Amino acid sequence: MPALNLSGVFAPVLTPVDADLNIDLKLYVEFCRWLLDTGCHGLVLFGTNSEATSFSVAERKAALDAVLGAGIPAEKLVVGNGTPAISDGVELARHALAAGCHKVMTLPPFYYPKMSDEGLFRSFAYIIDRVGDPALQMYFYHIPQVSGVGLSADLLDRLATEFPGAAAGVKDSTGDAGNLARFHQIAAAHPGFSVFCGTESLLLANLRGGGAGCISGMANVIPDQIRALYESWQAVGADDHQVRLNWLRNAALGTGFNVIAAAKSLTADRTGAAGWTRVRPPLVDLTPAQQETLRTAVRAAEPVLA
Amino acid sequence: MPALNLSGVFAPVLTPVDADLNIDLKLYVEFCRWLLDTGCHGLVLFGTNSEATSFSVAERKAALDAVLGAGIPAEKLVVGNGTPAISDGVELARHALAAGCHKVMTLPPFYYPKMSDEGLFRSFAYIIDRVGDPALQMYFYHIPQVSGVGLSADLLDRLATEFPGAAAGVKDSTGDAGNLARFHQIAAAHPGFSVFCGTESLLLANLRGGGAGCISGMANVIPDQIRALYESWQAVGADDHQVRLNWLRNAALGTGFNVIAAAKSLTADRTGAAGWTRVRPPLVDLTPAQQETLRTAVRAAEPVLA
């Protein structure tokens, strides 16, 4: 069986913004470095936790250029090119490839709900065809509870069959172990096809099923802890480790705050850079009182990780 | 009470594409002219029926430039600037204003579901503030069954209060007469605020409640019939006219086909330009058999319009 195109622990990198709500490229590059130094195998620039769709194509291209310009290697990066317009998806993928990044993560067009498998197939095929570069590796992004548009196992199977190599894998952000198992069947039928889970709470289940790893928002906060579980997944005690990781996740989620604003707030706490708390509308920053509630909840859960 | 900023019958203009799925600007301009010659008071470029979100910012700007370059007056146009990224919303609005178009129609950012009124307020406020042009008139676009993000009456009231003049009106595409009536209350509290319905089946109800008119996909197909109802809404027989219009709508919808692909198919029939049937993915063109089913259904309903 060929090696997976991609495996390990990836952070969908949070995107810091300045007081004018433009991307703070200095803070962004520093954060990318910290993530790689602290446990991430690689980075997904412009996933959901990155507020990807809140930034224009030009802003997303400039951010990638800044990361590469700072010396972060292209092979550590997956570039999110999900947009409602497939022409923008082509432009972002071409820009990534021209910069040496071969891996993109692609949402289906997400304005219209209930699109057919045929329509979604044509959307992905359009991007792959127009990009026209055999180096392209596309990871399909399944997060129907946010995007409103899911990817069926049949659709993924058709993509993997018709675009071997280019159809490189899937990220399953449903948090549904049953769905993840269906995607493992696709990977089994198409060797090399990588299945990522979108929550570290399914990391063990994913690796045991033949999956490749996780791309989890919490990897922005505790990359070291998630990496440690990845490294020891076949060791005695891995299940206990998974349970301890889940405690922290549940503590953070238990506050009910928006997960992106919450992860940014925790990053502000860790770095001391207060500007990290900012989000771009339609998201709303946590208030100081909410930040304190979050801090308290996380502190109470942290000892279990020690 | 001041005059409404905008009133009448508007088509959310269908966007023809060539065999490469790029906008067919020649066919587009011809169609815009036909709509204005055949009954529309004005045109909404890049609404939902236009497949707005399926085209990039650059493609949308080029299409507006082509329409204006062909001599269609800027004052007849409303420019859809709805995008998930508020920075793109600013860019599209600035481009429209620079070209002499003061009226834009704006979706809320539509990637994340369940955004708060506060987050949506900040999104619209960001665009209005950054555009920074007192000539801007923004029509807020409420189509939660597609976008996944609705606009509450409280939010619209706050926008109309904080941005008098710039907050120029709303398009309600829910097809829900009760919701339309709630929006009429906002118009009553904020003189000059225009309420459009997104279906001509509520045109009479909207005008009787103080609304401004309709922006309806069917105006791409039967602008003359809808205009005739608008002109005679206070006449004896207006209710009968509305019922006859609804027959055609229901016949077309009764096929169950995607409404945009269906409207394009009927436009191909009317113009003889077969390329009109094309849609951009994730939508899917009607098959020849589906086109024939649609034709038959519409033909059966048309005599009631005579």
Side-chain angles (χ1 to χ4, degrees):
Chain A
M1 174 170 150
L4 295 170
N5 285 314
L6 195 68
S7 63
V9 175
F10 290 74
V13 182
L14 299 170
T15 310
V17 292
D18 64 22
D20 285 330
L21 302 184
N22 296 316
I23 299 178
D24 184 329
L25 294 174
K26 182 168 172 290
L27 222 48
Y28 188 56
V29 167
E30 283 173 12
F31 186 55
C32 287
R33 283 214 186 90
W34 178 81
L35 290 167
L36 291 171
D37 289 346
T38 312
C40 289
H41 290 88
L43 309 175
V44 176
L45 305 186
F46 296 106
T48 297
N49 278 271
S50 316
E51 302 169 72
T53 62
S54 296
F55 296 99
S56 70
V57 166
E59 290 174 306
R60 289 160 72 163
K61 287 159 75 170
L64 172 59
D65 292 345
V67 168
L68 292 169
I72 292 175
E75 61 266 28
K76 297 279 187 189
L77 304 179
V78 180
V79 179
N81 72 329
T83 52
I86 52 179
S87 43
D88 280 332
V90 171
E91 183 172 347
L92 285 166
R94 281 186 179 153
H95 175 260
L97 284 157
C101 301
H102 302 159
K103 298 173 175 67
V104 300
M105 191 172 81
T106 312
L107 283 166
F110 52 82
Y111 178 59
Y112 304 103
K114 298 180 206 147
M115 289 294 97
S116 63
D117 275 8
E118 177 62 27
L120 298 180
F121 177 83
R122 291 184 191 187
S123 302
F124 292 121
Y126 177 98
I127 297 175
I128 294 170
D129 289 341
R130 302 301 157 109
V131 168
D133 186 332
L136 177 70
Q137 296 177 336
M138 185 178 282
Y139 296 85
F140 307 106
Y141 189 6
H142 180 57
I143 183 166
Q145 74 276 26
V146 178
S147 69
V149 184
L151 309 179
S152 72
D154 283 350
L155 171 62
L156 291 170
D157 187 65
R158 182 175 171 197
L159 287 162
T161 301
E162 301 219 14
F163 299 105
V170 66
K171 178 185 178 191
D172 178 4
S173 287
T174 60
D176 175 343
N179 193 69
L180 196 61
R182 278 191 289 282
F183 287 179
H184 290 153
Q185 293 173 3
I186 297 165
H190 301 277
F193 190 89
S194 295
V195 177
F196 287 91
C197 51
T199 161
E200 77 288 352
S201 64
L202 289 175
L203 179 55
L204 269 193
N206 192 32
L207 294 172
R208 287 171 179 163
C214 72
I215 304 170
S216 162
M218 285 296 279
N220 284 294
V221 181
I222 48 165
D224 48 349
Q225 296 287 342
I226 302 175
R227 174 64 175 262
L229 176 58
Y230 180 87
E231 294 298 339
S232 66
W233 72 276
Q234 291 172 305
V236 174
D239 285 287
D240 288 345
H241 190 154
Q242 178 78 72
V243 168
R244 289 195 302 275
L245 271 188
N246 296 355
W247 266 98
L248 186 65
R249 177 183 191 80
N250 294 336
L253 290 180
T255 61
F257 301 142
N258 175 275
V259 294
I260 301 166
K264 282 187 149 180
S265 175
L266 293 173
T267 303
D269 288 350
R270 181 182 59 73
T271 60
W276 257 115
T277 57
R278 295 187 197 104
V279 292
R280 215 180 230 201
L283 300 185
V284 177
D285 321 21
L286 299 191
T287 63
Q290 290 173 324
Q291 292 173 35
E292 186 53 32
T293 300
L294 177 66
R295 241 173 246 136
T296 304
V298 168
R299 261 191 223 122
E302 267 172 350
V304 301
L305 289 176
Chain B
M1 175 170 150
L4 295 170
N5 285 313
L6 196 68
S7 62
V9 175
F10 290 74
V13 182
L14 299 170
T15 310
V17 291
D18 63 22
D20 286 329
L21 302 185
N22 296 315
I23 299 177
D24 185 328
L25 294 174
K26 181 169 173 290
L27 222 47
Y28 188 56
V29 167
E30 284 174 12
F31 185 55
C32 287
R33 282 214 186 91
W34 178 81
L35 289 168
L36 290 171
D37 289 347
T38 312
C40 289
H41 291 87
L43 309 175
V44 175
L45 306 186
F46 296 106
T48 297
N49 279 272
S50 316
E51 302 169 73
T53 63
S54 296
F55 297 98
S56 70
V57 166
E59 291 174 306
R60 289 159 73 163
K61 287 160 75 171
L64 172 59
D65 291 345
V67 168
L68 292 170
I72 291 175
E75 62 266 27
K76 297 279 187 190
L77 305 179
V78 179
V79 179
N81 72 330
T83 53
I86 50 180
S87 43
D88 279 333
V90 172
E91 184 172 345
L92 285 166
R94 280 187 180 152
H95 176 260
L97 284 158
C101 301
H102 302 159
K103 298 174 176 67
V104 299
M105 191 172 81
T106 313
L107 284 165
F110 53 82
Y111 178 59
Y112 304 104
K114 298 180 207 147
M115 288 295 98
S116 64
D117 276 6
E118 177 62 26
L120 298 180
F121 178 82
R122 291 186 191 187
S123 303
F124 292 121
Y126 177 98
I127 297 174
I128 294 170
D129 288 341
R130 302 301 157 111
V131 168
D133 186 332
L136 178 69
Q137 297 177 336
M138 184 178 281
Y139 296 84
F140 307 105
Y141 188 6
H142 180 58
I143 184 167
Q145 74 276 24
V146 178
S147 69
V149 184
L151 308 180
S152 72
D154 283 349
L155 170 62
L156 292 170
D157 187 64
R158 182 176 171 195
L159 287 162
T161 302
E162 300 219 16
F163 299 106
V170 65
K171 179 186 177 190
D172 178 5
S173 286
T174 60
D176 173 345
N179 193 69
L180 196 61
R182 279 191 290 281
F183 287 179
H184 290 153
Q185 293 173 5
I186 296 165
H190 300 277
F193 190 89
S194 295
V195 177
F196 287 91
C197 51
T199 162
E200 78 289 350
S201 64
L202 290 175
L203 179 54
L204 270 193
N206 192 32
L207 294 172
R208 287 170 179 164
C214 72
I215 304 170
S216 163
M218 285 297 278
N220 284 293
V221 181
I222 47 164
D224 48 348
Q225 297 286 342
I226 302 175
R227 174 65 174 261
L229 176 58
Y230 179 86
E231 295 297 340
S232 65
W233 72 277
Q234 291 171 306
V236 174
D239 285 287
D240 287 346
H241 190 154
Q242 178 77 72
V243 168
R244 290 196 301 275
L245 271 188
N246 296 354
W247 266 99
L248 186 64
R249 177 181 192 80
N250 294 336
L253 290 180
T255 61
F257 302 142
N258 175 274
V259 293
I260 302 167
K264 282 186 148 182
S265 175
L266 294 173
T267 303
D269 288 350
R270 181 182 59 74
T271 60
W276 256 115
T277 56
R278 294 186 198 104
V279 291
R280 214 180 231 201
L283 301 184
V284 176
D285 320 20
L286 299 191
T287 64
Q290 290 172 325
Q291 292 173 35
E292 186 53 32
T293 300
L294 177 66
R295 241 172 246 136
T296 305
V298 168
R299 260 190 226 121
E302 266 172 351
V304 299
L305 288 176

